[in-house]
Structures are given as C-alpha cells and as structure tokens.
Amino acid sequence: MSTSIKLNKVVKRYGAIEVVHGIDLTIDPGEFTVFVGPSGCGKSTLLRMIAGLEPISGGELLIDGERMNEVPASKRGIAMVFQSYALYPHMTVYKNLAFGLETAGYKRAEVEERVQKAAKILKIDTYLQRRPKALSGGQRQRVAIGRAIVREPKIFLFDEPLSNLDAELRVQMRVEIAKLHQDLGNTMIYVTHDQVEAMTMADKIVVLNKGHVEQVGRPLDLYHHPRNLFVAGFIGSPSMNFLPGKIAGLSETGVEVALGGGQKALVRCKPDARAAKGAPVTLGLRPEDLKPNAPGDSAIPGKVRMVERLGGDTYLYLNTQEGADITVHAPGDIVVAAGDQIPIGVSAAKSHLFHESGEAFARFPA
Ligand code: ADP
Ligand code: MG
C-alpha cells in the first residue's frame, strides 16, 4: 500500500517573482525519487509545496489522485526530514521520538511500540536514554529520521539531510537511507545538490534548473542519454568535457565533427532534420570514456597540465591545441607527467553530440 504523487503545472511565485515554472511530474507508488540541481533551482520550494509548508501559487498537487492544494500539512500523511536536525536538546532520544506522538494523543503502549521499532530499524536502540548533545552528527540525523518513522507517514520527504555530515558518514547514511526505503517501501522524495547522491540512491532522478525540469529518468538513462548540455554537464563526476566543432559529414549512423585543431571525430548518433553540414555543434566526452596515450585517427592531442593520483585512479587535466580544458580518467599506475604531450583516444560509440541550442542528438542504445 503505497502512495502516488502527481504535479500538474505546479507554479510558485513569491510576490511578482516566479521561481517554479509549471512543473509536471508523476511519482509512482513506492518510488525513491531524487530532486537534484544547483543551489537556488527550486528543489526545497517544490518539496515544501508537496509537504504543505508553502502555498502552491498555480497548478495542482495530487496525492493518490486527490487534490491536496488546500489540505493542511498535518493532514497529508507526510513526514519531512531536514538538514538541521532540530532535536529538543533537553529531551532524551526516547522523548524526542515519542514527543510528537504524545502530543497527538497516542496511548503510551502504542508510543512505546513505535519508538522501539523505529529505534531498532535505525540502530539507535542502545542510546535512547542519552540527550542529543551526547550523540555524533550521524546519530543525531538518525534520531531526526526516527522522528519521521514513528509517525508512520505515507510519504517521506528529505531535504538535503546529509549536508551537515562529513564525507565518510554521508556515504554510510546514504546506504542506510536506501536500505530504509527497501525495508519500508514508502514513497520517498529526496532533495540534494549532490549528483552522486542522486545517482546512487534514486529510482528516478528529476534534474531541476532555474525552476524548470530539465530531465526525468533513471540514473543510467540520464547518464547515457542526457537530453541537453545542462544534464550532460551535471550528471557524472568529473563532469563531461565539451569541445566546440562543426558538422563535417553526415550518415545514417553518425555525424563527423571537425574540431578546431583540424582533427575529425566521429560520433555514433542519429542525425535529425536540423543537422546540416557546417552547423556548429558541441562534442561531449566523458572523462571515463577517453583513452590516454591512444593514438589513432580521431585522437585529440593534449598537453598534460596536471596529474592527480588517487591510487586506484588517476585524473589527467590537459589542454588541447586550441586551449580547451579536458579531464581524462586514467588507470592508477599510468606513466605520465605534467608537460607531456599525449594523444587522447576518442570513441565514436561513447561520444555525445549537442546542437547549438544545447539539445542532444539522439544516441543509439548502449
Ligand atoms: P534550492 O532548494 O534548490 O537551493 P530554493 O527552493 O530554496 O532552492 O529556492 C528557489 C528560489 O526561490 C531561489 O531563487 C530563492 O532565492 C527563491 N526563494 C526561496 N524562498 C523564498 C522566499 N521566501 N521569498 C522569496 N524568494 C524565495
Ligand atoms: Mg534547498
């Protein structure tokens, strides 16, 4: 028994300023959806409208098919977890978890049962008698999630819940929230500016930019088939490299691109009606799809500016002859040094191509 959410042309205005511009979105029952995008793109605003913490200026919000626009937050069956834990400092962990239920009039036995169950799921059952100041950041965030669980909501909303934690703990909590979703099976929406969190946790990613939806899809669909330059640059780490070029040739199965330095790169994609010889395009190359020290017809010569060795992986930062920056993912033990001139191998099947408008050429299935 899980819950669906539907947004029809949802708009948010603050005074005369529109910050969310008519968003259409369907979230299926039990889905883990991530809203991702740069700071200020409208993620929190959208989430708060769904929660009922912010009035909806236009359009419609449906939960399980029912209009929610006028329904108060407390009646939507939603629990929200924020970046700031906002625990009561003078109360024990137990009391922090129980307090909301007690004020809502739940019987003591029911409160006890729900608190114990949530504490067990979150593995905080051994410090129920501690106060928040005697907990680590990760433990506090767990208590905050526990407060949402005890309410047994239909929908969980998370707004950057891990941003205050250090890198190691973030990775650990990421796994735990994903596990929580597996165990509970509730519909969940998770907001983050971190595309790695989005990629690793989501069933469905919604990429937002300036109050618009850029693309909706499964993580690997967005990775392999970004619809435009924004999504291509946002999803994937390090970011996709972009090189300016012009269309030099067209066939059924690909486009030949002339780059500034005279090299030609073939891209396997479907040329559409707007693709014409001479048209300016952008070639998109992921760092992990490039081969360092691979001479060949469509190799791009690059001068190594910096070598970043992480042990298992190496990142090379190069400049092309035209001065464009390129990042290449290389094996950990690659023999290369700053100042070296090396050919970078480009694969037609792994390259991306974009119209001058920023829209992607359709790629063939991987
Ligand atoms: P995000 O969570 O993606 O960082 P927000 O949803 O917080 O972004 O904000 C989206 C836009 O709405 C931003 O431009 C922000 O300045 C604006 N905004 C947010 N809250 C208010 C407010 N109360 N009054 C006016 N503008 C706001
Ligand atoms: Mg926000």
Side-chain angles (χ1 to χ4, degrees), residues 39-308:
S39 177
C41 70
K43 305 180 294 294
S44 295
T45 304
L46 198 56
L47 202 67
R48 293 170 62 82
M49 284 194 284
I50 294 170
L53 302 174
E54 206 50 85
I56 297 169
S57 317
E60 198 172 43
L61 167 70
L62 306 173
I63 294 180
D64 279 338
E66 258 181 73
R67 181 180 163 99
M68 285 291 130
N69 295 45
E70 294 77 23
V71 175
S74 60
K75 297 267 160 32
R76 293 190 188 185
I78 286 175
M80 193 152 162
V81 180
F82 299 93
Q83 177 178 348
S84 65
Y85 325 120
L87 303 179
Y88 300 111
H90 58 287
M91 292 182 191
T92 62
V93 169
Y94 183 95
K95 193 74 179 169
N96 265 284
L97 294 174
F99 186 66
L101 298 178
E102 286 169 357
T103 28
Y106 283 87
K107 296 223 169 62
R108 222 164 118 182
E110 170 81 14
V111 173
E112 167 86 25
E113 192 193 317
R114 287 196 189 193
V115 169
Q116 292 296 348
K117 191 169 141 204
K120 215 175 222 120
I121 291 172
L122 294 164
K123 301 191 196 79
I124 53 177
D125 40 345
T126 54
Y127 38 85
L128 284 173
Q129 294 316 316
R130 284 198 210 164
R131 283 180 214 284
K133 71 171 189 307
L135 301 178
S136 69
Q139 291 167 334
R140 279 179 212 169
Q141 188 54 278
R142 251 173 260 215
V143 178
I145 295 170
R147 248 185 348 199
I149 293 177
V150 294
R151 294 179 49 200
E152 299 186 353
K154 292 194 285 185
I155 301 167
F156 285 85
L157 305 180
F158 298 90
D159 193 351
E160 311 235 12
L162 308 185
S163 298
N164 283 343
L165 306 178
D166 63 49
E168 197 181 332
L169 204 50
R170 265 208 312 270
V171 174
Q172 193 184 329
M173 285 300 291
R174 206 158 82 194
V175 175
E176 292 196 15
I177 292 176
K179 171 115 191 344
L180 183 72
H181 176 250
Q182 264 179 22
D183 292 346
L184 299 179
N186 291 65
T187 307
M188 299 188 181
I189 307 179
Y190 186 102
V191 160
T192 179
H193 63 275
D194 179 353
Q195 64 87 27
V196 176
E197 278 184 18
M199 288 297 285
T200 52
M201 299 175 82
D203 295 318
K204 175 147 89 193
I205 297 179
V206 180
V207 181
L208 293 166
N209 181 29
K210 297 180 180 158
H212 291 283
V213 173
E214 294 280 356
Q215 192 170 357
V216 178
R218 288 177 300 179
L220 287 184
D221 290 341
L222 299 197
Y223 177 84
H224 289 298
H225 303 281
R227 203 160 76 189
N228 56 39
L229 277 172
F230 181 84
V231 177
F234 195 79
I235 299 288
S237 175
S239 287
M240 188 185 282
N241 299 293
F242 295 123
L243 296 176
K246 282 195 164 54
I247 295 180
L250 293 158
S251 78
E252 286 290 292
T253 56
V255 176
E256 194 180 32
V257 180
L259 298 170
Q263 312 92 38
K264 295 217 167 125
L266 193 65
V267 182
R268 246 177 69 70
C269 61
K270 293 177 200 164
D272 53 36
R274 283 167 304 161
K277 234 173 158 169
V281 286
T282 302
L283 179 65
L285 307 167
R286 293 207 183 273
E288 56 274 32
D289 292 336
L290 294 170
K291 277 215 161 42
N293 276 327
D297 286 347
S298 59
I300 300 170
K303 186 168 185 185
V304 180
R305 192 159 40 82
M306 200 172 87
V307 181
E308 200 175 78

